[in-house]
Amino acid sequence: MTVSAWAPLRRSAFRALWLAQFASNIGTWAQTVGAQWLMGDLGGTSLQVALVQTATTLPVFLLVVPAGALGDILDRRRVLVYGQALMLAGAGGLMLLAGTNRATPASLLGLLAVMAIGQALSMPSFQAIQPELVSREEIPQAALLNGVNMNVGRAIGPALGGLLIALAGPEATFAFNTVSFLGVLVVLMRWRRPSDHRPLGTEHIATAVRTGARYVASSPLFRRVLTRCLLFIVFGSGLWALLPAIARGPLRLDASGYGVLLGSVGTGAILGAFVVPKLLQRMSKNRMVLFATWIYAAATSTAVLTQNLALVIVAMLLSGACWIATLSTFNATAQILLPAWTRARALAYYQLILMGGQALGAVVWGAMADAYDLRVAMVAPAIAMAVAALLATKWLPLNDRPLDVSPATYWEEPPELDDTDVGPVLVTVEWPVADENADAFVDAMQKVGRARRRTGATMWGLFRDTEKPGTFLETFTVATWQEHLRQHLERGTVVDQLNQEAARALASGDALVRHLVYAEPKSPD
């Protein structure tokens, strides 16, 4: 059954949040123009003007991973409310200071940093709630619509910011952004999100961060998404960084012409939302991403290889469609792969790749444009992107099989301990396996081992007993008894259960499980 590109908008919670976020995206991009303009009005140095971008991105880059952990251990709606409230306070403060002529370069940068902290809090949780707002079948379409939301906002926002500055000054952009955050807050306050199932209570933030990093390190399918995203972003970010220079240089356009190019990219993103679902009915996501990447590479190269404005506009339309097609596929694949208990903290790494990749690409291709020219800075990464996409399709294919990551409790109950903070804990599982199944058992246990590490094990190993033929000993350690209980009660998934059952089917009898706790010496001697 075909799912419409607009199907998620039929769900009231998703629709309300999408519309509010659309206004907020426009307001954020309008405010970026207003902040840069205000810094100039305040007599800021070139360094201070550049620091506007630093103030809006550095806090996000530093805080997005712990913010993702907060999104998993606290109520995500509440985390989003706090994040939006911080951004509202920052935008409102800028509006008051600019409107009363009390703004200074330091206060401008400080309030922008406050808003960036709020953005860092919001980003992972916003991504993580998408599967709660739509059905599993609609997640790709939701990712497409969210990408359209962001790209159209990026196209409209700067133009609106320039218009507001011309009509009422930079404080008007801050006022618009303040109102846009109010809309998001109203939607979040009205959303009745079901409570999370946490039988063992809230994790400590430091433990949650470590667990998230361990999950990403032990999930090869998710790491493929991150790697593919990084390759695309680093090589493809030159368009966003150098489009103003392309408009001013080879195309000799003014500000309105630059707006037309940005609008073409946004329009292409909207068209892509219609086309991508139809393409995925006819080809695999890997082939679709490959073709979209090749077209994007060709289109971005066209922007510097011709001075024909009509041809460049067509290239920008294609760029917008292929940008949204590729990134929405990565985003949807990531969300489908991640269980609810770790979704926000794992998606924080996805956001880190997006932001870091764009920042790195902007610096590298900008420096190349200065050292050589715009053609080299656009065509060279386009060629590298096309080659990398071909190699990645072969060696790092995206998962195209449905994986059930819904919760499942499949472990036998561990013994009860009064002190749940005791640790580390060593768990041993003795498996009897017939010789004819030994090789298949070892292979099957690799998936089990990755599941143990994803859910909390710090070390895992499988050993063949030299004194008892036909016996394998699985061992893994967990930091504390509390963490091991979370493995049992909170972090299991159906796919992990199926993998363990596949290994168990190769055993010739019941497994013997033992739990050992580190023997802490009573005296230092």
Side-chain angles (χ1 to χ4, degrees):
M1 178 179 172
T2 303
V3 179
S4 166
W6 308 102
L9 292 176
R10 300 191 187 109
R11 301 184 181 273
S12 59
F14 179 88
R15 181 176 63 250
L17 190 57
W18 190 89
L19 291 172
Q21 195 67 25
F22 181 57
S24 181
N25 280 331
I26 294 175
T28 297
W29 284 103
Q31 179 186 270
T32 300
V33 176
Q36 292 170 333
W37 194 270
L38 177 60
M39 184 63 84
D41 287 347
L42 295 174
T45 65
S46 297
L47 175 60
Q48 287 173 324
V49 173
L51 285 176
V52 169
Q53 188 69 18
T54 303
T56 57
T57 56
L58 184 60
V60 180
F61 193 79
L62 295 176
L63 298 176
V64 69
V65 170
L70 286 176
D72 281 333
I73 66 179
L74 302 177
D75 178 66
R76 287 172 185 154
R77 185 187 72 89
R78 186 169 296 177
V79 172
L80 284 168
V81 167
Y82 291 156
Q84 295 296 315
L86 270 178
M87 289 190 278
L88 172 65
L94 286 174
M95 176 186 67
L96 292 175
L97 290 177
T100 58
N101 296 318
R102 295 180 179 177
T104 64
S107 64
L108 174 59
L109 294 174
L111 287 171
L112 288 174
V114 168
M115 297 180 66
I117 294 171
Q119 185 182 5
L121 275 176
S122 300
M123 288 172 64
S125 291
F126 179 78
Q127 291 290 324
I129 65 171
Q130 299 307 306
E132 302 176 31
L133 300 174
V134 301
S135 68
R136 184 178 177 87
E137 292 74 22
E138 294 170 347
I139 288 177
Q141 286 72 25
L144 266 173
L145 290 172
N146 286 328
V148 168
N149 194 321
M150 182 174 296
N151 283 281
V152 174
R154 174 184 262 178
I156 296 175
L160 177 62
L163 178 62
L164 290 174
I165 291 171
L167 293 175
E171 59 267 28
T173 64
F174 306 138
F176 181 86
N177 205 25
T178 301
V179 174
S180 74
F181 288 131
L182 279 173
V184 178
L185 274 171
V186 168
V187 172
L188 290 172
M189 296 297 288
R190 294 181 61 184
W191 179 34
R192 295 292 175 260
R193 181 177 183 265
S195 59
D196 295 300
H197 177 66
R198 295 192 182 97
L200 298 174
T202 302
E203 295 179 64
H204 189 277
I205 179 66
T207 302
V209 170
R210 287 195 298 269
T211 303
R214 191 179 300 119
Y215 185 95
V216 172
S218 301
S219 179
L221 294 179
F222 183 65
R223 290 203 314 275
R224 286 184 192 177
V225 177
L226 296 183
T227 304
R228 297 287 299 273
C229 182
L230 180 64
L231 290 172
F232 180 78
I233 284 291
V234 169
F235 292 125
S237 58
L239 176 66
W240 301 105
L242 298 176
L243 190 58
I246 295 170
R248 286 176 176 271
L251 298 177
R252 291 182 170 82
L253 299 176
D254 56 14
S256 61
Y258 174 58
V260 170
L261 296 183
L262 278 177
S264 300
V265 176
T267 303
I270 296 174
L271 295 175
F274 286 99
V275 173
V276 170
K278 292 180 171 54
L279 289 177
L280 288 175
Q281 294 173 30
R282 294 171 172 80
M283 64 181 70
S284 69
K285 67 173 68 172
N286 284 287
R287 181 168 294 184
M288 194 271 290
V289 167
L290 177 62
F291 289 161
T293 304
W294 282 352
I295 295 171
Y296 181 86
T300 54
S301 298
T302 300
V304 292
L305 295 177
T306 181
Q307 294 181 359
N308 185 314
L309 181 58
L311 189 57
V312 173
I313 289 175
V314 172
M316 292 302 98
L317 289 169
L318 290 173
S319 297
C322 294
W323 178 272
I324 198 72
T326 304
L327 289 185
S328 67
T329 302
F330 292 152
N331 187 279
T333 303
Q335 292 195 29
I336 291 172
L337 286 173
L338 297 171
W341 70 267
T342 193
R343 189 176 295 131
R345 67 192 103 176
L347 286 172
Y349 288 93
Y350 180 83
Q351 296 291 339
L352 200 62
I353 290 290
L354 280 178
M355 295 190 61
Q358 290 188 72
L360 176 62
V363 171
V364 172
W365 312 129
M368 184 175 287
D370 282 344
Y372 300 98
D373 58 31
L374 283 171
R375 289 190 178 187
V376 174
M378 292 296 291
V379 174
I383 294 173
M385 172 191 288
V387 174
L390 181 62
L391 296 176
T393 301
K394 178 176 177 58
W395 299 106
L396 297 169
L398 299 173
N399 179 64
D400 238 344
R401 297 175 291 107
L403 296 177
D404 190 349
V405 294
S406 55
T409 303
Y410 58 91
W411 295 44
E412 297 177 1
E413 284 294 325
E416 293 186 8
L417 291 182
D418 294 332
D419 184 5
T420 58
D421 291 327
V422 68
V425 178
L426 171 65
V427 182
T428 67
V429 186
E430 188 175 296
W431 297 90
V433 181
D435 288 342
E436 61 269 19
N437 292 331
D439 292 340
F441 176 78
V442 171
D443 291 340
M445 285 297 292
Q446 302 312 303
K447 293 181 179 180
V448 174
R450 284 195 291 269
R452 309 282 202 222
R453 289 191 291 264
R454 282 196 300 268
T455 56
T458 55
M459 295 181 65
W460 178 88
L462 182 67
F463 304 89
R464 192 189 302 265
D465 195 323
T466 60
E467 297 179 359
K468 294 172 62 178
T471 300
F472 287 85
L473 186 68
E474 177 195 5
T475 69
F476 60 95
T477 57
V478 189
T480 66
W481 190 257
Q482 178 88 340
E483 277 290 283
H484 185 51
L485 290 177
R486 292 190 191 280
Q487 285 186 305
H488 279 264
L489 302 176
E490 295 181 354
R491 297 175 180 171
T493 64
V494 171
V495 68
D496 292 341
Q497 179 182 15
L498 294 175
N499 287 334
Q500 181 158 303
E501 288 176 353
R504 183 175 289 156
L506 296 168
S508 56
D510 293 335
L512 175 63
V513 182
R514 298 181 65 197
H515 297 83
L516 299 91
V517 176
Y518 178 67
E520 187 76 34
K522 294 299 182 182
S523 63
D525 296 330

